[in-house]
Amino acid sequence: MSSRRITATDLWQMSRVGQPEPDPAGRFAIVPVTTYDMETNEGTTRLWRLTTDGSSRALTGADVSSSKPALAPSGKKVAFVRKPRAEDKPQVHLLPLDGGEAETLTELPLGVAAAKWLPDESGLVLAVPLLE
């Protein structure tokens, strides 16, 4: 068995798991996973649904970074922050977990940092930058 030290390249090739957003009923969690491209020096985050039986399913594509998941209290939809291109400001999107495409909810000039559901699921509270 040969051994070698972990290199910086090894670390950049590892996926990074972010803060999970658990389902209130305990059936699954939405987890952001970031992968990095050393040539472009950029990371892309995808959202994954991990169930308690160990299965997983990608919720968002690898072509656009999606992060900061906020699972609705019902567990039926997830709001998240997406930044389609480097020059775009991140905006809140909504994805139904029973199928369908993500819908853009905001078009704020400075973007959105994060979203959190109200307890009765009647709306979202947004964290937004005030200065550029």
Side-chain angles (χ1 to χ4, degrees):
M1 173 190 237
S2 69
S3 63
R4 68 174 182 87
R5 294 177 186 222
I6 294 176
T7 66
T9 301
D10 294 333
L11 290 174
W12 282 109
Q13 290 174 343
M14 290 181 193
S15 296
R16 314 285 169 89
V17 178
Q19 177 73 36
E21 180 73 12
D23 168 40
R27 300 167 298 183
F28 62 91
I30 306 299
V31 181
V33 179
T34 304
T35 55
Y36 293 92
D37 183 333
M38 285 185 58
E39 289 185 26
T40 62
N41 195 29
E42 292 181 3
T44 302
T45 303
R46 294 179 75 182
L47 300 181
W48 290 79
R49 180 180 172 151
L50 305 177
T51 63
T52 54
D53 68 5
S55 65
S56 64
R57 175 171 65 95
L59 296 176
T60 59
D63 57 331
V64 176
S65 204
S66 303
S67 61
K68 310 270 177 76
L71 191 58
S74 67
K76 294 182 179 182
K77 52 191 169 186
V78 63
F80 60 94
V81 175
R82 175 179 278 170
K83 185 176 178 181
R85 298 177 308 233
E87 64 271 11
D88 292 338
K89 300 295 183 187
Q91 301 294 335
V92 175
H93 290 70
L94 183 65
L95 178 68
L97 294 177
D98 59 357
E101 294 295 318
E103 169 190 358
T104 305
L105 294 183
T106 63
E107 291 183 17
L108 298 172
L110 297 179
V112 178
K116 183 163 177 67
W117 286 96
L118 293 173
D120 65 358
E121 206 171 306
S122 63
L124 293 160
V125 176
L126 306 178
V128 298
L130 298 176
L131 299 171
E132 205 163 9

